[in-house]
Amino acid sequence: MSKKGYWMAMVDVTDPENYPKYIAANKAAFDKYGGKFLVRGGQGQVFEGPAATRLVVVEFDSYQTALDCYHSPEYQAALKLRQAYSNAHFAIVEGA
């Protein structure tokens, strides 16, 4: 049985008015690759490192699926919006 894959992001939204365009655009990739939001915004505090206005954890069935989603044309199109409207510290990790 393969281990799950996770996207982990600390996002500083720089353009809150337009950031929802990214959220709408990333839906196609997450639907296609089965991304499940475990954390999406909500209350949180950053105790070490750079501050973030938004914390996100997305679970995928496998590490490879998480990588495939990130590199997909669907997500790469959405990524351009995220980069225009925010700054992020982002990682893909293998987990339990």
Side-chain angles (χ1 to χ4, degrees), residues 20-57:
K21 293 177 184 177
Y22 162 69
I23 293 171
N26 69 30
K27 185 179 183 331
F30 293 138
D31 286 351
K32 181 176 179 178
Y33 291 91
K36 177 184 173 187
F37 284 90
L38 302 180
V39 176
R40 189 175 200 178
Q43 193 170 197
Q45 295 181 34
V46 177
F47 291 101
E48 296 183 33
T53 55
R54 190 169 178 82
L55 304 171
V56 179
V57 178

Side-chain angles (χ1 to χ4, degrees), residues 73-92:
E74 294 88 353
Y75 188 72
Q76 289 300 303
L79 177 60
K80 290 176 182 163
L81 296 173
R82 192 195 77 201
Q83 291 173 332
Y85 307 135
S86 69
N87 298 310
H89 190 156
F90 178 88
I92 296 176

